[in-house]
Structure formats: C-alpha cells, structure tokens
Amino acid sequence: MKIAVVGTGYVGLVSGTCFAETGNHVTCIDIDEKKVKKLASGTITIYEPGLEKIFIRNLNEKRLDFTTNLAEGIKDAQIIFLALPTPPGEDGSADLKYVLGVARELGKLLTDYKVIVDKSTVPVGTAEKVRNAIAEHYKGEFDVVSNPEFLREGVAVDDFMKPDRVVIGTTSERARKIMGELYAPYVRQGNPVIYMDEKSAELTKYAANSFLATKISFMNEIAQLCEKLGADVDMVRRGIGSDERIGKRFLFPGIGYGGSCFPKDVQALIKSSEQVQYDFKILKAVETVNENQKLHLLPKIKHYFNNQLKGKHFAIWGLAFKPNTDDIREAPALYIIKALLAEGATVTAFDPEAMNNVKQQIGNVIEYANDQYSTLNNADALIIATEWNEFRTPDFEVMVQKMKHKVIFDGRNLFEVKAMQDKGFYYESIGRPKM
C-alpha cells in the first residue's frame, strides 16, 4: 500500500518506519525543514532501540521518504495517518489545533477517496471533528478512522511489529477492509484486531494509559505505607503480582511516572470527564499521588543531612523518565534537580542518552559527566532516578573510592537492601527498610 504519515515525532517516525518494513511505500510529512533534511539523509532524530536499523534499510530500499510538501506527500496515498502533537492546554485538555489544522488543509487537497487515520492520542469526538474539518472544503468520499497507538518507549519497534492488539475505530465497511489488509502482516500470530466505533476507540487509548498510571500510583502509595509500617514493598509486590487478576506488570514502586503519555493522558481524561459533568475521583487522586511521588526522596535526603543541603554535592544516575529512551518529558529527575538546586546544593548527572535533551532544557545549571562513575567524584550522596541496565551491577569498590560518603538514595529500587548493608552503605529506597 501507499501510505502518508503526517508528523515525524515519536509516533509518526516509528509508525512510518514499521509500515515500510512490511513492504508498504511510506511518505512522512513534516513542516520542520531541518528535521526532514536530517531524516531524508539518513540521520534518525529520536533514540529508540532497534529503530535505526530498519529506518536505514527502508530508506535505502526507497520504501520510506520524507517531504515538507503535504500535497506531494498525500497525492498517491490510500491511507493518511495523522501523527501530530496534542499537547495539554492551560486547562489540561488536549489541544487539537495541529490535528484540525492539517485536516482543513487535507480538505483543500483531496481529489479522491482516502482513509484518514487519527494515530495521535485524541479526546473522544475528535474523529467527528476531523471529518467536519475536511468536509468544510471537500465534498467527495472519505473516511476518518481512529487507530490509537500502544507503543512503549524503549520497545516501540517490537510493540508495533508484534502488537498485543490493534484497535480500529470505524463504522465504515470500506475503511474497515482497507485497515484490516494493512495490519494483517502484524497479527499473523493470532493477536486480535478489535473493531469498534470511533468514540470507543478514542476512549480505549485514554482508558488504557490511565489504568496503567493508576496501578503505578497505587503501588507507590503501598510503598509509602510499607515505610510507615515496616513492611517490605518487594514482598507485597510479589504477593499481589502472582494473582492473575492483578498481574505482575506496572507494580514496581518508584519516584513516579513521566513521559509523553501517562501525565498528558490522565490530565486529558480528567478534563474530558469534567466537560460532561463527571467527577473522575480516582484519576484526580492518581495525578496528585504522582506529583508528590516525584519528590518522595527529597524528605529522606534532607533528613539524612539534618536539613542542611546548602553546599552539598549530589550525583544523579539517570535523567530520562525511563530507561531505553532519551525522553525527559515530566522526568522525575528534573524535579529532583530543581529542588536540590533551590536548597543550595550542586549536582553532577549522567544518563546514557538523555543528557543533550536536558542541556537544551535547563542548560549548565548542573554538570554533566562522561560516564556513571565520573558523577561520583566528591559526591556526598548518589541519587538513582532512572533504572538503566548499566546501573544495576556497578563496581561498588570504584564507587567507594570516588564518593565522599557511602550514601545512596535509590528511587528505582535497583539493589538488594541486605547486599547494600553488607557493603556498608547507607541506603534508602522506596517502600523498603533503610540500611
């Protein structure tokens, strides 16, 4: 098939590349000329494991190309995906100006039947708004489909190529058939393609992310209770995770969720609920718990140093909101850094992929190390904010040599408590005894 993908952000680039990987011809369209030139020349603009290899392959085999010209990009496409930003507005609702702006432009350009697909995460009712925006200028036949993405940063290629499920929201048999043919190569193992109406598909995406955010925040509350009662959250997690009704995933406590999806989608679903006069109490609590959890380590740090952080120097391992990505949107590490600097402390940080993004956002208010051990020079304490694999089994002897004090505040529970006690560290983590 010939496909156009409007938007070359995270979702657009992963989707376009993976569609090309199964033999489709994909044209990706973006208004950012510098980005388009980079992509067209073979320079990938995001970090995602496994993506660069298939990106280069499909670029070389001319199944993947890039343009800034919307008319040129969609001319021969049977399907046009809208993978555009939907940032939160001041009131928390998803801003649809980019989606609807492109929809109006498409209305001026369409000359024959095409399937327009909302791939962006959008509020319930967006498909209808897109349909109306196109129809302002185009009176011919077309269909608008909701096809939410369920990509996890860090494993997005696998998620796309071998999806747990594909959700397609459409009431059109013609569009249903076309979308079914497109996704057939991705569900050969029998995972379902679930067809539903457009509004149900739109809500499915928000419901899925909000439920996962709820699991995380619930477990973070359990971790706080463990700290007060003297229980061990690792034991609790294993005890409840073995119940198949609950499951093992998304039960790891930490310093809160971040990224481009959970914070924005929880906020947007709360706002959508308010617009129909429904008070979504659980999600409001989830949002509050997560905001507080991002700074859960700070009282522990202040208590250890007798509320005197001025002049103290901290090492931070991890800046991305999760491992295997360079995404720093709503990353807990940034909240911790801001709080430490406000207390008069200094910070040196290391992250395998996210340091350039942090530099662009906060500049040189902190130091950036070349490796994880360089951060530790004369550090009063180490703070672990992201669970990158290379942080899991460090050389503790090197750490002891470099650090001023053997003190670790672990926001991701990377190490065993007893092992840290045996090594002589003062060690505080989330929901477990301090040593």
Side-chain angles (χ1 to χ4, degrees):
M1 290 187 177
K2 292 187 177 180
I3 298 168
V5 178
V6 185
T8 60
Y10 184 84
V11 173
L13 190 57
V14 171
S15 300
T17 302
C18 290
F19 279 134
E21 181 69 3
T22 56
N24 299 295
H25 183 272
V26 181
T27 299
C28 294
I29 306 152
D30 202 294
I31 60 172
D32 187 332
E33 291 186 11
K34 289 183 179 179
K35 183 193 281 190
V36 167
K37 284 181 180 178
K38 279 186 177 181
L39 292 166
S41 66
T43 302
I44 202 162
T45 52
I46 61 171
Y47 175 76
E48 177 61 38
L51 181 63
E52 186 171 16
K53 180 180 177 180
I54 62 173
F55 169 81
I56 295 296
R57 176 165 63 233
N58 284 283
L59 197 65
N60 290 339
E61 294 182 6
K62 303 192 184 306
R63 289 196 297 262
L64 184 62
D65 54 47
F66 298 87
T67 183
T68 57
N69 188 315
L70 183 63
E72 176 186 308
I74 69 162
K75 185 172 65 171
D76 296 321
Q78 297 165 269
I79 308 172
I80 302 170
F81 283 88
L82 305 183
L84 295 153
T86 54
E90 290 185 8
D91 63 353
S93 60
D95 189 341
L96 294 177
K97 64 183 178 183
Y98 301 110
V99 173
L100 297 181
V102 170
R104 293 187 186 95
E105 290 302 310
L106 289 175
K108 299 172 185 177
L109 297 171
L110 295 183
T111 57
D112 57 1
Y113 176 84
K114 296 186 189 299
V115 178
I116 316 299
V117 184
D118 285 331
K119 198 67 174 169
S120 308
T121 301
V122 292
V124 175
T126 299
E128 186 175 353
K129 290 180 179 179
V130 169
R131 188 177 296 112
N132 292 338
I134 294 171
E136 288 176 14
H137 301 283
Y138 179 62
K139 306 305 178 185
E141 286 189 294
F142 66 96
D143 281 308
V144 178
V145 171
S146 176
N147 174 218
E149 53 85 16
F150 299 98
L151 305 178
R152 295 168 296 163
E153 292 189 48
V155 288
V157 173
D158 282 345
D159 282 349
F160 198 102
M161 300 302 292
K162 300 174 184 177
D164 291 334
R165 80 291 200 196
V166 175
V167 172
I168 296 174
T170 181
T171 53
S172 163
E173 281 300 318
R174 186 176 183 182
R176 173 177 173 150
K177 182 179 179 182
I178 291 170
M179 295 297 291
E181 290 175 1
L182 175 65
Y183 276 107
Y186 303 92
V187 292
R188 294 177 62 206
Q189 294 179 333
N191 288 346
V193 178
I194 305 170
Y195 295 96
M196 58 185 73
D197 62 276
E198 295 90 338
K199 288 184 178 180
S200 296
E202 290 163 343
L203 185 54
T204 295
K205 168 66 177 186
Y206 279 115
N209 279 356
S210 295
F211 183 76
L212 295 176
T214 301
K215 286 186 75 172
I216 293 170
S217 287
F218 175 81
M219 207 62 205
N220 282 333
E221 292 246 82
I222 291 294
Q224 293 203 38
L225 191 59
C226 285
E227 292 176 1
K228 294 183 180 296
L229 296 176
D232 187 330
V233 75
D234 282 347
M235 300 298 104
V236 176
R237 174 178 57 78
R238 292 170 189 170
I240 66 174
S242 58
D243 187 327
E244 63 181 16
R245 295 169 302 175
I246 297 172
K248 299 176 182 179
R249 298 173 68 179
F250 289 87
L251 292 181
F252 288 87
I255 48 175
Y257 59 76
S260 62
C261 294
F262 287 5
K264 177 171 68 72
D265 292 355
V266 168
Q267 196 176 51
L269 189 51
I270 290 171
K271 188 62 182 178
S272 292
S273 301
E274 290 174 349
Q275 289 170 350
V276 291
Q277 289 77 54
Y278 182 74
D279 185 11
F280 211 140
K281 298 181 182 69
I282 290 176
L283 279 193
K284 288 180 179 178
V286 166
E287 190 174 47
T288 299
V289 168
N290 192 62
E291 285 304 300
N292 293 336
Q293 195 69 20
K294 290 175 182 178
L295 291 175
H296 182 62
L297 287 180
L298 194 64
K300 298 173 184 276
I301 296 168
K302 293 178 75 172
H303 181 263
Y304 179 83
F305 289 105
N306 298 314
N307 288 320
Q308 297 295 322
L309 300 189
K310 187 174 182 179
K312 296 293 187 292
H313 183 64
F314 293 92
I316 293 184
W317 283 1
L319 295 169
F321 86 94
K322 64 179 285 188
N324 297 318
T325 182
D326 60 356
D327 194 339
I328 60 168
R329 285 172 286 187
E330 295 296 320
L334 299 184
Y335 287 79
I336 294 171
I337 288 169
K338 183 178 180 180
L340 291 174
L341 295 179
E343 293 284 340
T346 57
V347 174
T348 300
F350 172 75
D351 187 283
E353 295 295 337
M355 289 196 292
N356 284 338
N357 289 342
V358 172
K359 284 180 185 178
Q360 290 177 16
Q361 182 164 320
I362 68 172
N364 293 317
V365 295
I366 65 171
E367 293 184 13
Y368 302 91
N370 293 323
D371 60 77
Q372 69 193 76
Y373 297 109
S374 299
T375 63
L376 304 175
N377 293 330
N378 296 314
D380 289 289
L382 166 65
I383 299 168
I384 301 174
T386 313
E387 62 274 33
W388 285 90
N389 281 336
E390 52 255 65
F391 300 158
R392 292 183 181 275
T393 54
D395 188 328
F396 288 101
E397 291 184 6
V398 172
M399 293 173 68
V400 171
Q401 292 169 9
K402 288 180 172 289
M403 295 178 71
K404 190 182 296 183
H405 305 291
K406 296 169 67 175
V407 180
I408 298 176
F409 296 95
D410 185 355
R412 299 301 179 183
N413 290 3
L414 292 194
F415 309 135
E416 292 295 328
V417 174
K418 182 62 167 59
M420 298 310 293
Q421 182 183 36
D422 292 343
K423 295 178 188 300
F425 279 85
Y426 179 88
Y427 180 71
E428 284 205 60
S429 49
I430 307 294
R432 305 188 296 180
K434 63 182 177 182
M435 291 293 172

